């Protein structure tokens, strides 16, 4: 605490930072909890012959947030893997990722660093169809790349280490960057993959479409089943809730510490004012009853009784008998701090 009982700059910064972090974590927790509640309340729709009738009965031929499970089937052409034979899909993502070591001048350690230097994603229109063969109903999946969780499978992955000469190694140590190599990855949403779609289900003319919802809820195209997807979101909610509670307790602890310091400082100032008031009243009492002579002859210790002792060998007359008795052993004169060998009573006539 600084003078006047105000918290120091470091304490104020600590309280502000912990409060801001708690508020941020609480905001994320509220958002995650809202998503989990929305996902739990989503309408589960079966991909069968009754789906069209369900949408015809729904307001606006639309289910705002629906869960539907099916198997991926391409509408026209499919995308072929560039590295794996007979691997076809409807979404293909090629990624080149650079791996290198970077020298940290603070910790004096080499740290791993990864950076995506190129990524290309290709899509082709596809439907969700029932797992059973021969079903005629299909659901067209719109804007698959907007999905919060897109179940892509890694079909190819290879690391190409960098080739370095001796001069390259010396230059890398001087520059503080040591290339390790390039990782090449291909991910695909393959034909025949079972998907769980969560979004807006709408009947547009004769086509049933699954598209991103309009009320701000997330859009899912996950390879997990619905129960697993829901458990994953609930686990995320519990994690953020725990973080919020921990930082909330930390913020309360900092606030309690500062308030306790403030209260103790207030009590000390109140006690000091009380002592000053008692001293002032004692002075007024002595001055008012016997005038200046009474204050002049008052005991220097208690200021309420008159001087009644002569301390030898120093000869000072400064204390009443009660205050002399209360002096710690070995007894010393309150004026000159010389040892008291004997005391002679003083009688005023």
């Amino acid at each position: 605490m600084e003078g006047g009982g105000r918290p120091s700059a470091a304490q104020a910064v600590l309280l502000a930072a912990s409060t801001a972090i708690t508020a941020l974590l609480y905001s994320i927790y509220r958002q995650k909890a809202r998503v989990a509640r929305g996902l739990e309340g989503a309408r589960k729709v079966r991909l069968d012959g009754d789906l069209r009738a369900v949408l015809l009965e729904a307001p606006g031929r639309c289910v705002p947030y629906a869960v539907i499970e099916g198997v991926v089937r391409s509408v026209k052409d499919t995308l072929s893997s560039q590295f794996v034979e007979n691997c076809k899909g409807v979404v293909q993502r090629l990624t080149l990722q650079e791996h290198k070591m970077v020298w940290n001048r603070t910790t004096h350690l080499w740290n791993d660093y990864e950076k995506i230097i190129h990524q290309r994603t290709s899509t082709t229109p596809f439907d969700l169809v029932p797992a059973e063969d021969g079903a005629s109903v299909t659901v067209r999946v719109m804007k698959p790349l907007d999905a919060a969780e897109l179940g892509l499978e890694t079909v190819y992955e290879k690391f190409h280490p960098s080739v370095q000469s001796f001069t390259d190694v010396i230059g890398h140590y001087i520059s503080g960057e040591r290339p390790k190599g390039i990782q090449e990855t291909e991910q695909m949403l393959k034909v025949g993959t079972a998907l769980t779609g969560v979004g807006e289900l709408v009947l547009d003319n004769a086509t049933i479409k699954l598209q991103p919802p309009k009320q701000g809820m997330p859009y899912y195209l996950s390879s997990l089943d619905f129960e697993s997807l829901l458990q994953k979101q609930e686990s995320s909610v519990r994690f953020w809730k725990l973080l919020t509670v921990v930082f909330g307790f930390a913020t309360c602890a900092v606030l309690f510490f500062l308030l306790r310091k403030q209260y103790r400082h207030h009590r000390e100032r109140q006690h000091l004012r009380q002592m000053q008031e008692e001293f002032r009243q004692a002075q007024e009492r002595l001055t008012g009853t016997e005038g200046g002579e009474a204050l002049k002859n008052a005991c220097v210790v208690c200021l309420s009784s008159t001087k009644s002792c002569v301390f030898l060998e120093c000869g000072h007359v400064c204390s009443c008998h009660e205050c002399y008795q209360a002096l710690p052993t070995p007894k010393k004169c309150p004026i000159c701090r010389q040892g008291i060998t004997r005391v002679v009573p003083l009688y005023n006539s």
Side-chain angles (χ1 to χ4, degrees):
M1 284 284 181
E2 295 180 346
R6 296 187 302 270
S8 64
Q11 292 170 344
V13 169
L14 178 62
L15 179 61
S18 60
T19 303
I21 293 175
T22 302
L24 176 62
L25 293 176
Y26 180 71
S27 175
I28 297 175
Y29 159 70
R30 287 286 302 273
Q31 180 182 1
K32 297 288 184 180
R34 183 179 67 86
V35 169
R37 288 194 302 269
L39 190 61
E40 187 177 7
R43 182 176 177 181
K44 301 175 182 60
V45 180
R46 292 181 57 85
L47 188 53
D48 54 20
D50 297 332
L51 178 58
R52 190 178 301 274
V54 170
L55 291 175
L56 287 172
E57 295 175 358
R61 296 185 177 184
C62 170
V63 178
Y65 207 48
V67 179
I68 192 165
E69 297 179 349
V71 176
V72 173
R73 188 180 71 182
S74 63
V75 176
K76 295 180 181 178
D77 299 330
T78 58
L79 301 173
S80 299
S81 170
Q82 295 187 6
F83 306 98
V84 182
E85 293 183 0
N86 300 323
C87 181
K88 298 183 180 298
V90 292
V91 178
Q92 181 186 50
R93 179 173 292 165
L94 298 172
T95 304
L96 293 178
Q97 189 174 39
E98 179 187 16
H99 293 258
K100 61 183 178 181
M101 304 288 288
V102 177
W103 177 255
N104 191 318
R105 291 180 174 83
T106 304
T107 60
H108 299 284
L109 296 172
W110 289 96
N111 298 328
D112 288 323
Y113 178 79
E114 300 176 358
K115 178 184 177 182
I116 295 178
I117 57 178
H118 177 73
Q119 188 174 77
R120 186 187 69 190
T121 303
S122 304
T123 63
T124 187
F126 67 95
D127 294 334
L128 289 181
V129 299
E132 300 82 7
D133 294 333
S136 60
V137 62
T138 61
V139 174
R140 180 68 49 84
V141 178
M142 311 300 295
K143 300 180 180 179
L145 298 183
D146 290 350
E149 185 172 331
L150 183 59
L152 298 181
E153 178 185 351
T154 301
V155 297
Y156 177 82
E157 188 173 21
K158 185 176 182 180
F159 183 76
H160 303 276
S162 60
V163 179
Q164 305 175 19
S165 64
F166 179 75
T167 56
D168 292 334
V169 173
I170 299 300
H172 295 154
Y173 271 95
I174 295 175
S175 64
E177 293 186 0
R178 292 164 48 193
K180 296 173 64 177
I182 302 296
Q183 184 172 355
E184 190 175 17
T185 306
E186 182 182 27
Q187 295 174 298
M188 295 190 71
L189 179 59
K190 295 193 294 185
V191 174
T193 302
L195 276 189
T196 300
V198 184
E200 184 182 57
L201 201 61
V202 60
L203 178 61
D204 185 9
N205 295 327
T207 306
I208 303 175
K209 296 181 180 179
L210 179 67
Q211 57 191 18
K214 295 183 175 61
Q215 65 266 35
M217 297 298 292
Y219 181 37
Y220 292 102
L221 292 173
S222 175
S223 57
L224 301 174
D225 60 83
F226 177 70
E227 296 299 329
S228 300
L229 181 61
L230 182 59
Q231 290 178 3
K232 182 178 179 181
Q233 297 303 317
E234 291 175 345
S235 298
S236 176
V237 171
R238 287 192 294 268
F239 171 76
W240 288 104
K241 182 179 181 179
L242 179 61
L243 277 185
T244 303
V245 170
V246 170
F247 275 88
F249 273 118
T251 302
C252 292
V254 173
L255 182 61
F256 174 77
F257 171 78
L258 296 180
L259 291 178
R260 181 172 174 269
K261 286 282 188 180
Q262 183 78 8
Y263 175 73
R264 290 180 62 183
H265 178 77
H266 173 72
R267 289 291 301 273
E268 290 174 359
R269 291 188 61 184
Q270 190 177 23
H271 182 64
L272 178 60
R273 286 196 298 266
Q274 183 179 357
M275 292 179 61
Q276 290 174 343
E277 182 64 23
E278 291 177 356
F279 180 75
R280 185 185 61 80
Q281 291 177 359
Q283 284 184 323
E284 290 179 353
R285 185 168 60 252
L286 291 174
T287 304
T289 56
E290 301 180 8
E293 267 319 300
L295 181 61
K296 186 177 180 180
N297 294 327
C299 170
V300 298
V301 180
C302 66
L303 295 176
S304 59
S305 302
T306 57
K307 302 172 183 176
S308 59
C309 297
V310 181
F311 297 149
L312 298 178
E313 301 294 330
C314 65
H316 282 122
V317 181
C318 59
S319 171
C320 65
H321 185 71
E322 289 78 8
C323 291
Y324 163 71
Q325 295 292 337
L327 290 176
T329 304
K331 299 184 183 299
K332 295 182 181 181
C333 174
I335 302 298
C336 63
R337 309 304 297 167
Q338 185 177 342
I340 301 174
T341 57
R342 61 195 183 98
V343 179
V344 178
L346 179 65
Y347 300 99
N348 293 319
S349 58

